[in-house]
């Protein structure tokens, strides 16, 4: 894990948040673009910086579960058990919002996403600040989430004055999202905390398979996409595709599971799902910046341990494809 280049100045960050500024905030999943969740103007600045449509709600980050009653009217026994089991940690719960949550945070919905992040810098800021911090991933709308302070600087050159450097994010992909706002708990976004671990605490949960069709409306925002077209293929098909495209003179790079696919140039990430996830977004950024015409990513094993990575890669492929169609 890369150490932070500069020790984070927590008091300066908290003063900026109190003024209504937006800051770059490290979490254990990805970096967030954080602002005072109770300040409508500050939250609007997040949307403007990201170029994010107003109907895509933000997650409110809180210091611990004792803050739940401020933000939700529905801190149900299930929610409290999950908070007890997984907070601080990479689990976001969708719960009925309280009247104190501004509309701008929830996109006008009657629910709010809440999470207590497991990162010393994020927790220090939250404790000192006292309130909740609305924070989406610190990338421009539809792009790859940042996993280092340098990535955040790349995304918003000159646009964000304070970017706290908390080193490389340990997990590297966004939190698991579980919707507890209706009768049936449902996973909306897979992440490090698996359905099986959640079920061990609260019993059966549904999994929203609709997100596996990334063109469905409402899932558009989560493309996590590089600018270069991206295809996900099993190893043998990928090696063949790389050879054929190379023979046509196309600049192609590959991303392999465990090793770089034969006969190609590119990167490899470790064979275990958690280490792969940790390095995924930095690898995609690096490949995207290397002047290729096509990125070929090896399809990870069909195994629940790889659910979250599969999900992000599918969306990246769909996003890159969508981009390809645009002028
Ligand atoms: O790991 C994470 O969750 C990171 C870090 C910074 O905490 N945050 C993050 O936020 O990924 P964002 O905004 O990039 O993704 C949050 C997702 C969006 O797809 C949003 O639509 C969904 O959560 N979401 C937020 N509030 C919701 C709600 N009330 N109902 C349904 N979905 C919601
Ligand atoms: Mg995001």
């Amino acid at each position: 894990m890369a150490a932070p280049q500069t020790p984070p100045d927590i008091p300066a960050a908290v003063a900026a948040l109190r003024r209504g500024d937006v800051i770059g905030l490290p979490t254990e999943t990805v970096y967030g673009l954080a602002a005072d969740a109770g300040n409508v103007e500050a939250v609007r600045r997040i949307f403007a910086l990201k170029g994010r449509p107003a109907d895509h709600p933000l997650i409110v980050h809180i210091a611990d579960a004792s803050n739940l009653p401020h933000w939700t009217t529905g801190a149900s026994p299930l929610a409290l058990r999950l908070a007890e089991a997984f907070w601080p940690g990479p689990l976001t719960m969708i719960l009925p919002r309280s009247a104190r949550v501004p509309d701008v945070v929830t996109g006008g919905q009657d629910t709010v996403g809440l999470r207590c992040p497991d990162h010393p810098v994020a927790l220090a800021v939250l404790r000192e600040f006292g309130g909740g911090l609305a924070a989406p991933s610190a990338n421009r709308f539809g792009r790859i989430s940042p996993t280092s302070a340098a990535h955040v600087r790349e995304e918003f050159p000159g646009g964000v004055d304070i970017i706290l450097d908390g080193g490389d994010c340990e997990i590297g992909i966004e939190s698991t999202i579980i919707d507890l706002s209706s009768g049936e708990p449902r996973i909306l976004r897979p992440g490090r905390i698996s359905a099986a671990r959640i079920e061990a605490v609260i019993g059966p949960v549904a999994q929203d398979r609709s997100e596996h069709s990334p063109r469905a409306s409402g899932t558009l925002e989560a493309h996590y996409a590089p600018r270069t077209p991206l295809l996900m293929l099993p190893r043998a098909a990928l090696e063949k595709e790389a050879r054929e495209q190379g023979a046509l003179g196309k600049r192609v790079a590959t991303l392999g599971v465990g090793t770089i696919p034969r006969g190609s140039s590119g990167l490899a990430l470790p064979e275990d799902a958690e280490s792969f996830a940790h390095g995924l977004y930095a690898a995609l950024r690096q490949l995207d910046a290397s002047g290729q015409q096509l990125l070929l990513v090896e399809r990870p094993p069909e195994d629940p341990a790889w659910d979250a990575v599969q999900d992000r890669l599918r969306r990246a492929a769909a996003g890159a494809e969508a981009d390809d169609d645009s002028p």
Side-chain angles (χ1 to χ4, degrees):
M1 176 164 167
Q5 286 168 1
T6 39
D9 185 343
I10 308 287
V14 170
L17 290 166
R18 294 211 170 108
R19 283 196 302 271
D21 287 355
V22 173
I23 68 162
L25 183 75
T27 84
E28 80 281 32
T29 57
V30 300
Y31 274 70
L33 206 53
D36 180 352
N39 178 333
V40 172
E41 288 309 315
V43 175
R44 286 214 178 103
R45 256 173 230 129
I46 297 179
F47 282 91
L49 276 163
K50 274 186 69 95
R52 177 165 171 150
D55 59 353
H56 288 264
L58 305 183
I59 295 171
V60 176
H61 297 69
I62 55 180
D64 57 57
S66 71
N67 293 294
L68 278 171
H70 183 87
W71 300 99
T72 173
T73 56
S76 62
L78 285 195
L80 294 175
R81 279 196 341 250
L82 286 176
E84 172 77 27
F86 298 116
W87 281 3
L91 182 73
T92 297
M93 297 194 266
I94 308 294
L95 294 166
R97 70 190 265 195
S98 81
R100 285 182 282 257
V101 186
D103 274 341
V104 62
V105 170
T106 67
Q109 301 195 54
D110 52 10
T111 56
V112 61
L114 292 163
R115 164 166 126 81
C116 172
D118 187 14
H119 190 289
V121 174
L123 285 171
V125 171
L126 281 165
R127 284 178 190 140
E128 176 88 17
F129 179 64
L133 293 176
S137 52
N139 50 278
R140 288 179 186 273
F141 181 63
R143 293 290 162 199
I144 302 168
S145 296
T147 56
S148 73
H151 294 165
V152 184
R153 258 176 249 120
E154 267 167 49
E155 289 285 321
F156 304 102
V160 182
D161 289 340
I162 297 183
I163 299 170
L164 296 176
D165 191 342
D168 288 350
C169 299
E170 187 202 327
I171 292 175
I173 56 171
E174 304 78 2
S175 60
T176 306
I177 302 182
I178 182 161
D179 184 359
L180 297 171
S181 67
S182 66
E184 186 191 40
R186 175 175 293 272
I187 291 179
L188 302 182
R189 179 173 73 183
R192 165 74 76 91
I193 296 180
S194 64
R197 286 178 66 197
I198 292 174
E199 288 185 331
V201 178
I202 60 166
V205 298
Q207 291 192 56
D208 194 352
R209 290 292 156 190
S210 65
E211 75 189 344
H212 292 160
S213 41
R215 284 176 184 280
S217 73
T219 59
L220 184 80
E221 81 95 19
H223 272 160
Y224 313 105
R227 292 189 159 79
T228 318
L230 182 152
L231 274 179
M232 181 166 50
L233 294 168
R235 164 88 38 154
L238 184 151
E239 288 177 350
K240 182 161 175 276
E241 184 75 20
R243 265 198 316 276
E244 288 175 3
Q245 296 285 350
L248 294 173
K250 230 179 187 181
R251 292 188 306 278
V252 178
T254 60
L255 176 61
V257 180
T259 55
I260 297 172
R262 257 182 317 158
S264 70
S265 64
L267 298 171
L269 287 169
E271 250 166 321
D272 74 285
E274 291 185 356
S275 307
F276 192 100
H278 169 77
L280 176 62
Y281 288 156
L284 288 179
R285 268 173 196 272
Q286 189 182 329
L287 292 173
D288 202 22
S290 67
Q292 309 298 324
Q293 291 167 293
L294 180 64
L295 304 181
L296 296 173
V297 179
E298 181 174 354
R299 183 183 298 284
E302 287 297 331
D303 180 286
W306 287 87
D307 268 1
V309 167
Q310 293 265 16
D311 169 74
R312 302 313 188 275
L313 286 175
R314 262 190 296 265
R315 292 170 192 242
E321 204 185 297
D323 253 27
D324 212 21
D325 301 338
S326 59

